[in-house]
Amino acid sequence: MSNHPVYDDKLETQKQWGQDPCGAVTAGEVAPGTAEFYRRVEDERYGTYAPWMRETMGFARHTGKRVLEIGPGLGTDHAQFARAGAEMYAVDLTAAHLKHTRRRFDLEGLLTRPVRGDAEALPLAGASFDVVYSFGVLHHTPDTAGAVREIHRVSRPGGLARVMLYHRGSLGYWGQVIIRHGILRGELLRGNSPVEIMGKYVEFNEGGGNPLVKVYSRGEARELFSMFSEVKIQVEQLTRPELYFLGRIIPEVIFRRLARSIGWNVIISARK
């Protein structure tokens, strides 16, 4: 019998991001809920952390389309779609995220329709959306496959699903989770699984949340979306500091190749 504590994964998700909304730490000491707070979060996200995101995710390519985001967080990506003229809808399990999304949109004079709900049972009609977007969310829900089936259900024929999941083949997973924490710090020897290690270190916050965190290979991601008629997979998200001293000397062309091979994000683009 395991001595490990038993967690309710969905309650832990709400505990984690209810106390520490996703990305809020990047605003530093700026007061949450202010225009400056959201500006700083956005600048760090697209300017420092993931400069590739705007182009790869195609925020500006859905003018006039009905777009659902599952897990809008602070509303950062959500605002990119809305500024480009998309008709926005949001579902999130965490009330704090929906509050921030509403606040951000009010400050910018943008419109969205936020609903509190579960990705595994979307409170929305079938065949309702041209685009369903979710970035870094569905690997935290117990039944990720069920959430993907829900995305398929609410997508219109020919609709696009664009989803980011954590990548099993990434440098972050093998270098940090398995080698650094699992082996060198003895977590695996103490009987902790990689999933438990990720819950402890990957999404750490001082609020004490212990959210479920999963990773997927390219093949596993493709299989998750197999009910869609067309599925494309790509990998992104590597920072130079992750490569230590090599990050300072590797040419940009080689760095980009590495990012597309061992990056932390596996991105699925699927057509219904």
Side-chain angles (χ1 to χ4, degrees):
M1 184 174 181
S2 173
N3 293 321
H4 297 169
V6 176
Y7 294 103
D8 181 316
D9 292 320
K10 293 181 182 180
L11 287 178
E12 288 296 318
T13 292
Q14 294 174 72
K15 180 180 177 182
Q16 172 83 3
W17 286 288
Q19 296 182 55
D20 182 18
C22 187
V25 68
T26 63
E29 299 300 316
V30 177
T34 63
E36 178 64 12
F37 171 82
Y38 296 117
R39 186 192 67 77
R40 287 206 184 185
V41 170
E42 180 168 328
D43 287 351
E44 195 280 338
R45 184 170 181 81
Y46 308 127
T48 303
Y49 180 70
W52 53 269
M53 271 193 75
R54 281 194 170 107
E55 176 61 27
T56 299
M57 293 304 176
F59 299 128
R61 296 197 286 268
H62 305 293
T63 302
K65 300 296 185 181
R66 205 176 198 206
V67 177
L68 167 66
E69 182 174 6
I70 301 172
L74 296 176
T76 309
D77 294 350
H78 210 61
Q80 312 310 304
F81 286 110
R83 290 172 190 162
E87 180 184 342
M88 298 306 298
Y89 295 76
V91 171
D92 203 301
L93 192 61
T94 304
H97 281 166
L98 295 175
K99 180 179 178 181
H100 272 291
T101 298
R102 289 191 194 97
R103 173 62 177 162
R104 182 190 187 114
F105 271 51
D106 286 346
L107 286 170
E108 290 198 40
L110 299 171
L111 177 64
T112 188
R113 300 149 188 86
V115 176
R116 191 172 184 187
D118 188 334
E120 297 175 17
L122 293 171
L124 300 162
S128 298
F129 297 97
D130 301 297
V131 179
V132 181
Y133 175 81
S134 186
F135 191 92
V137 175
L138 300 185
H139 45 232
H140 297 304
T141 199
D143 186 7
T144 300
V148 174
R149 288 193 294 272
E150 279 292 271
I151 290 175
H152 186 269
R153 180 183 67 81
V154 303
S155 295
R156 289 171 171 165
L160 173 67
R162 182 157 285 147
V163 173
M164 185 279 276
L165 302 171
Y166 288 156
H167 183 209
R168 187 186 300 280
S170 65
L171 178 63
Y173 179 71
W174 289 101
Q176 295 295 316
V177 176
I178 300 301
I179 297 176
R180 181 183 179 190
H181 296 297
I183 297 174
L184 298 180
R185 294 191 175 179
E187 293 284 355
L188 291 172
L189 190 63
R190 287 192 287 272
N192 291 315
S193 70
V195 168
E196 290 170 318
I197 295 169
M198 287 189 290
K200 188 174 180 179
Y201 294 105
V202 172
E203 303 292 358
F204 171 79
N205 78 3
E206 294 181 356
N210 193 342
L212 174 66
V213 186
K214 297 181 284 187
V215 290
Y216 293 85
S217 68
R218 291 175 177 86
E220 289 167 337
R222 186 177 295 278
E223 179 61 28
L224 272 177
F225 286 80
S226 61
M227 74 285 291
F228 287 79
S229 63
E230 178 185 334
V231 181
K232 295 180 180 179
I233 305 291
Q234 66 187 99
V235 169
E236 273 290 0
Q237 192 46 39
L238 184 70
T239 62
R240 287 183 177 271
E242 290 178 78
L243 300 172
Y244 298 97
F245 74 92
L246 290 175
R248 297 193 295 270
I249 62 175
I250 288 177
E252 182 65 17
V253 64
I254 296 176
F255 176 74
R256 292 301 305 141
R257 287 175 184 169
L258 286 172
R260 291 167 182 157
S261 176
I262 58 172
W264 181 230
N265 298 167
V266 58
I267 300 158
I268 305 98
S269 299
R271 288 280 178 190
K272 185 172 179 178

